[in-house]
Amino acid sequence: MHAGTNLSQRAARTGIAVFAAALLVSGAAWHGFAADPQSAAKVAPSTTTTPITHAIAGGRDSYADIVNIAAPAVVTVRVSGKARVSPTGFEGDPGDQDDLLRRFFGDQFGQRQGPRGPQMPQRSPRQRGLGSGVMVTTDGYILTNNHVVDGSDDIKVDLTDDRTLSAKVVGTDKASDLALLKVNGTDFKALPLGNSDNVQVGDVVLAVGNPMGIGQTVTMGIISAKGRSTGPGDGSYEDFLQTDAPINHGNSGGALVNMKGELVGINSQILSNTDGNIGIGFSIPVNMAKSVMDQLRTKGKVTRAQLGVTVQQVTSDMAQNLGLKHAGGAIVSSVTPASAADHAGVKQGDVIESFNGQQVHDFNSLRNRVAAAGPGSTADLTIVRDGAEKHLSVKLDEANPEKVARGGDGEPDSPDKASLGVSVAPITPEMASRLGAKSAQGLVVQNVDPDGRAADAGIQAGDVIEAVNRQPVKTVEDLRGALKRTADRPVLLLINRQGSNIFVTVKPANG
C-alpha cells in the first residue's frame, strides 16, 4: 500500500512538472506570435483530433490463453446422500414430542395415525453438497477431494459445455483426501499433469473451481510455501502446496494450474478465522495425487510402506546433547519389534538424518517419503549413533492403519484386537510445556487414525495418556499390555488435555 501510494505521488508530481513546463513553452510561443501581428494573422484554426482507430499491438497482459486450456477440464461436482437423523433430545412420551413438533411446524408435511392421533412421518432428509473436480484423462477420469464425495450416494458432474453426467466412485483415499471418479462420454478435455516437485515458492499459479456455487471462477496468486501440514497427528498424509490464490468453499477438488497450463495441485483446504478466504489455501501436490490415482485406478485402494519406529523432532537442545552439528532429523524413541526397522538394526536413540538420500527435516516429510516408497521396497537410511554416521538398508513393510501405537512415520505396532488407532511417544518436559500440560506424565498422542476407536472416543493429537484403567502408563509397552488385558471390554483412559484431566471411555474392538 505504501509503495503504491508513493508511486502515485511521484507520478502526480511528475505530471505537474511537465504541465508547468508545457505552460511556459506555450506561453513563450504565444507572446512571440502576439509580438508579430502578421504572424498572428497566419495562425491556422484549431483542428479536431481524430480517435485512434487501431489497437496497440502486444499490449495485452493476460492469463486468458492458460484459462482456455484449464477451464474446460475443471468440472463442478454435485453430491447428495441420506442425512443421519439425530435424536431430538426431547424427553417424555413420544406422543408429547409429536404434539410439540406439530405445534411449531403444523401438519402440512403429512401425517400418520398413531395411538394418540396424527403423528409426523419419519423421513430421512437428504444432504446436498457441492465441490469441484479435474478431468485428468480424455476417457472420463476425474480427481477430486474425498471430503467432497464422502457419504454420497448420487454424484452429478457439470461440464463447461453444459453437459451434466452421472459419475461413479472408482475409489477413495481418506488419508490423502483424494477420490477418483469416472464418467462415461466423449470429447472430454483433460488437463495435462505437471511436476509438483519442480514448483518453487514465488511461482505464479491459477486456482480454478466453483466457489460458493456461483459458477466457474479463476483466481491468481503465487506459491506461498511448500511441504505444509495442517493436521499433524490425525493420520492423514499431507505435503501441501500453500497459495494465496483465493480459494473458498466449493473450490475443493478444483485445479491449481501453473503458467504452462499444467495441473500442479488439487485444491483442498483453507485456513481462516472468518470461514472465507484470507489468502492461506492448501493444495495437494499433483505428484501425490497421481500416485493415489494410479493405485485407485488399478487396485481400487492405496497401499503405503512403513518403517516401524516412533520418532520425534530433533531440537537444538537435543542436537547439543547428542553432539550433532545442527538440529534436524528425527530421533528414534522406540522401535517396533519384528518391524522393518528392527530387522535392519535401527536402535532407540538413533537419529535418522536422511531417507534414500533425501535429508530428513521433520516428522511429516519422513512419514510421506516412507509411505511413498512402497511396501517391499528397499530403502537406504542414514543414521547417527553415538556421534558416528551409519548407513542401513531397510526392506519396508506394508502399513496397516488399524494397528496400535504407530510411530512418527505412520507405521503400526502390533496386530492385536486391542489396537486404539493412535501413534504415541513418551512425553518429555519440553513437549509437556509446549502442550500446556507441564505436570503431565505418560504418552503423548502423535497420530489419530480417523477410522480408529480412539477417534470415535474423541481422542486428539496432543492429548497425553496418563493412565489406562486407573493404572499409570509411561511407555508404549505399558500401554500395549494394558490394552491387551482389556481387549474385550471398554477401556477407561485418563487424558491430560492442555493441563486438564479428563476420563475417556474407548469401546472394545468388537463393540
Side-chain angles (χ1 to χ4, degrees):
M1 180 180 294
H2 294 298
T5 302
N6 293 339
L7 182 61
S8 300
Q9 291 172 345
R10 288 198 297 269
R13 288 195 293 266
T14 303
I16 292 171
V18 171
F19 180 66
L23 282 178
L24 290 174
V25 171
S26 61
W30 183 82
H31 285 299
F33 285 127
D36 186 352
Q38 292 182 347
S39 299
K42 299 177 182 179
V43 176
S46 59
T47 58
T48 303
T49 57
T50 57
I52 298 175
T53 57
H54 62 279
I56 301 174
R60 188 179 73 172
D61 185 7
S62 173
Y63 301 111
D65 294 338
I66 302 169
V67 173
N68 288 338
I69 296 173
V74 180
V75 303
T76 296
V77 179
R78 301 181 187 275
V79 303
S80 64
K82 289 183 179 179
R84 295 180 180 177
V85 181
S86 301
T88 62
F90 297 138
E91 296 181 357
D93 187 275
D96 295 335
Q97 298 176 20
D98 290 334
D99 290 341
L100 184 60
L101 289 171
R102 282 197 303 276
R103 191 183 314 152
F104 281 99
F105 301 109
D107 295 326
Q108 66 271 31
F109 300 109
Q111 300 175 342
R112 61 183 174 86
Q113 293 295 324
R116 298 191 54 176
Q119 294 180 349
M120 293 291 290
Q122 297 298 312
R123 297 182 175 181
S124 276
R126 293 188 66 80
Q127 291 180 331
R128 303 183 185 277
L130 179 143
S132 302
V134 185
M135 192 78 69
V136 289
T137 67
T138 55
D139 58 347
Y141 282 93
I142 297 169
L143 270 174
T144 186
N145 287 142
N146 174 69
H147 75 258
V148 169
V149 300
D150 188 31
S152 65
D153 54 29
D154 184 67
I155 303 174
K156 293 289 192 295
V157 171
D158 297 339
L159 280 64
T160 56
D161 61 6
D162 295 330
R163 283 185 289 175
T164 297
L165 304 174
S166 294
K168 70 174 183 177
V169 178
V170 177
T172 62
D173 181 47
K174 190 172 185 178
S176 64
D177 192 26
L178 288 166
L180 184 64
L181 310 180
K182 178 69 169 66
V183 293
N184 294 323
T186 58
D187 298 326
F188 295 129
K189 304 297 183 183
L191 195 57
L193 306 185
N195 184 349
S196 52
D197 289 344
N198 293 338
V199 171
Q200 298 184 38
V201 175
D203 284 356
V204 175
V205 287
L206 304 180
V208 188
N210 185 350
M212 313 300 288
I214 64 173
Q216 190 178 88
T217 302
V218 181
T219 55
M220 183 273 290
I222 64 169
I223 297 295
S224 306
K226 296 180 64 176
R228 290 292 200 225
S229 176
T230 63
D234 65 358
S236 59
Y237 289 84
E238 299 177 344
D239 189 28
F240 289 127
L241 300 173
Q242 181 183 330
T243 180
D244 67 346
I247 295 173
N248 287 287
H249 296 295
N251 274 111
S252 290
L256 193 70
V257 182
N258 65 13
M259 292 298 97
K260 296 180 181 178
E262 299 170 333
L263 181 70
V264 294
I266 300 294
N267 298 324
S268 178
Q269 295 183 21
I270 61 173
L271 184 62
S272 173
N273 53 10
T274 64
D275 204 35
N277 171 67
I278 60 171
I280 305 177
F282 301 97
S283 184
I284 302 166
V286 72
N287 289 8
M288 177 184 286
K290 183 179 185 302
S291 174
V292 170
M293 176 183 70
D294 290 344
Q295 292 191 63
L296 291 177
R297 189 173 179 179
T298 57
K299 300 185 297 184
K301 66 175 184 178
V302 179
T303 57
R304 295 179 172 90
Q306 64 181 18
L307 186 56
V309 295
T310 300
V311 297
Q312 297 172 236
Q313 185 76 23
V314 175
T315 64
S316 298
D317 291 340
M318 285 185 184
Q320 185 176 2
N321 180 269
L322 296 170
L324 302 177
K325 295 179 180 178
H326 53 80
I331 185 170
V332 178
S333 54
S334 68
V335 180
T336 303
S339 66
D342 190 28
H343 292 150
V346 177
K347 305 291 184 184
Q348 186 181 52
D350 288 347
V351 176
I352 303 175
E353 286 198 326
S354 70
F355 178 84
N356 279 342
Q358 292 182 298
Q359 188 174 0
V360 173
H361 295 287
D362 54 44
F363 141 78
N364 190 60
S365 62
L366 172 62
R367 185 171 181 265
N368 287 335
R369 289 170 190 166
V370 170
S377 62
T378 300
D380 177 74
L381 277 185
T382 302
I383 65 169
V384 175
R385 180 184 299 166
D386 299 326
E389 189 174 275
K390 295 173 65 74
H391 288 269
L392 300 176
S393 182
V394 183
K395 185 176 182 180
L396 299 172
D397 298 328
E398 181 176 342
N400 185 343
E402 298 300 324
K403 297 178 184 177
V404 73
R406 292 181 305 207
D409 54 355
E411 47 287 298
D413 223 11
S414 60
D416 55 42
K417 292 196 303 179
S419 66
L420 288 178
V422 295
S423 297
V424 295
I427 193 167
T428 64
E430 181 185 7
M431 294 170 64
S433 177
R434 188 168 67 248
L435 293 170
K438 293 183 179 180
S439 62
Q441 294 184 0
L443 301 169
V444 62
V445 176
Q446 296 179 322
N447 266 334
V448 179
D449 177 9
D451 295 323
R453 294 193 294 149
D456 290 340
I459 294 175
Q460 306 171 8
D463 285 349
V464 180
I465 302 175
E466 293 190 322
V468 177
N469 295 327
R470 297 189 178 182
Q471 297 299 314
V473 291
K474 295 185 178 180
T475 67
V476 174
E477 289 71 26
D478 290 345
L479 176 62
R480 186 185 300 116
L483 294 173
K484 284 182 178 179
R485 290 191 292 271
T486 55
D488 297 322
R489 64 179 189 270
V491 180
L492 183 65
L493 302 182
L494 177 62
I495 300 291
N496 188 307
R497 180 174 295 167
Q498 297 180 347
S500 298
N501 286 331
I502 57 173
F503 282 106
V504 175
T505 303
V506 182
K507 293 181 179 180
N510 58 4

